[in-house]
Amino acid sequence: EEVTVVVSSVQPIDYGRSFFNRTLSEDSLSSLGYVEELTEYETFYGEMFHALFAPSSFVAKEIAQKSAELGLVAGNYTAAHLRALYARENRPFRQIEKMTTNALNCASNLQPGSTIYFAADTKVSLDIAQEYARNYSRPIAVWPRDATPLHLEFGSSRNPSDYYETFIDLYLLANSNCIAYSLGGFARWASLISFNPNNVKLQSSSSSCTLQHFERKQIQECTWADQNGPPVKPGKWYRLSNAIPN
């Protein structure tokens, strides 16, 4: 007898929100033990995720150890994530430099004076962030890497341990109190599983704890906000290539 095995990967751009809204009514939510006030998918997703998944003992230990090394206390720091190489293999150094420093500046607007944990999809960006922290004595925590972290979607390794660093990064982002994000779903995923209810409303104008600093070819200009300095707000959006050509 022939057996056909079909493997499929589905990555909805709304993280399952439309399916949630379509299939679960208020009555069915009540039958699951939720009160009527639970109307936001983001709240449901975070609780569902943590009910179903937990880091392995090794990854959990590494998350705690890396947090201690970087001086990160859950809920007491800000995070910034950059996908500099989204849908591309390379980018001019000066553009990555601008995107990196701007991501950090935008994160500083969320909680001035707070330590910022920075994660990115390229080692070049991580190195730039470290230099930015040293040159300007700014509270930026960067996990030094010998190579660019593996991407969950494009990594070819079949060894689970090769992806441990990626999941550690995910939880370090999720454990932040506020997050500045760009393209892709990684930082959005971290926000969805965050314990901070203000950290999951990525598309809400009422959220004071999230900020998008890059979208496709557009960058939102930010300046650094000091703890005791004057209030700083993000500036206008502009096309990155207009300021820094390829």
Side-chain angles (χ1 to χ4, degrees):
E1 180 181 356
E2 290 189 6
V3 176
T4 301
V5 178
V6 177
V7 178
S8 176
S9 176
V10 179
Q11 186 179 0
I13 60 175
D14 64 355
Y15 309 92
R17 182 184 289 104
S18 58
F19 177 80
F20 173 85
N21 292 336
R22 187 170 65 250
T23 59
L24 290 180
S25 65
E26 290 186 5
D27 290 339
S28 59
L29 283 176
S30 298
S31 68
L32 292 174
Y34 288 94
V35 295
E36 292 183 1
E37 285 76 10
L38 177 57
T39 58
E40 294 187 348
Y41 168 76
E42 290 87 349
T43 303
F44 180 86
Y45 184 97
E47 293 187 5
M48 177 189 67
F49 181 90
H50 291 294
L52 296 175
F53 303 104
S56 67
S57 57
F58 178 84
V59 172
K61 180 180 178 181
E62 289 296 306
I63 293 170
Q65 180 175 329
K66 190 58 62 178
S67 296
E69 290 177 4
L70 297 174
L72 304 176
V73 178
N76 289 329
Y77 62 93
T78 304
H81 181 257
L82 173 63
R83 281 294 303 276
L85 301 182
Y86 184 83
R88 59 193 303 165
E89 294 183 359
N90 53 63
R91 183 184 289 276
F93 176 83
R94 289 185 58 223
Q95 287 191 1
I96 297 179
E97 182 179 44
K98 176 61 179 179
M99 295 168 73
T100 300
T101 55
N102 189 68
L104 292 164
N105 289 346
C106 287
S108 75
N109 291 190
L110 294 172
Q111 287 186 305
S114 172
T115 295
I116 299 171
Y117 175 67
F118 180 73
D121 64 350
T122 169
K123 183 179 183 299
V124 174
S125 185
L126 298 176
D127 293 342
I128 291 170
Q130 283 187 294
E131 183 177 1
Y132 189 55
R134 286 194 300 267
N135 291 346
Y136 296 94
S137 299
R138 288 177 172 167
I140 300 169
V142 181
W143 180 1
R145 310 293 178 90
D146 295 327
T148 296
L150 288 178
H151 194 288
L152 291 176
E153 185 175 358
F154 304 117
S156 59
S157 173
R158 297 299 180 182
N159 184 358
S161 63
D162 289 342
Y163 297 90
Y164 285 173
E165 289 189 357
T166 304
F167 281 97
I168 295 168
D169 249 345
L170 175 69
Y171 276 89
L172 292 179
L173 291 171
N175 285 341
S176 68
N177 192 50
C178 297
I179 190 167
Y181 63 101
S182 59
L183 293 170
F186 196 67
R188 288 176 166 90
W189 188 16
S191 283
L192 281 171
I193 65 175
S194 172
F195 60 84
N196 180 5
N198 291 320
N199 206 356
V200 300
K201 299 179 181 179
L202 292 175
Q203 306 303 327
S204 172
S205 60
S206 63
S207 174
S208 61
C209 224
T210 60
L211 191 158
Q212 185 168 15
H213 55 83
F214 187 75
E215 170 60 36
R216 296 298 176 182
K217 300 177 181 180
Q218 302 287 324
I219 190 169
Q220 182 170 206
E221 184 75 34
C222 293
T223 57
W224 185 269
D226 289 311
Q227 182 175 14
N228 298 318
V232 176
K233 293 184 178 181
K236 295 181 179 180
W237 287 86
Y238 65 88
R239 193 176 180 88
L240 178 64
S241 60
N242 289 346
I244 308 176
N246 291 322

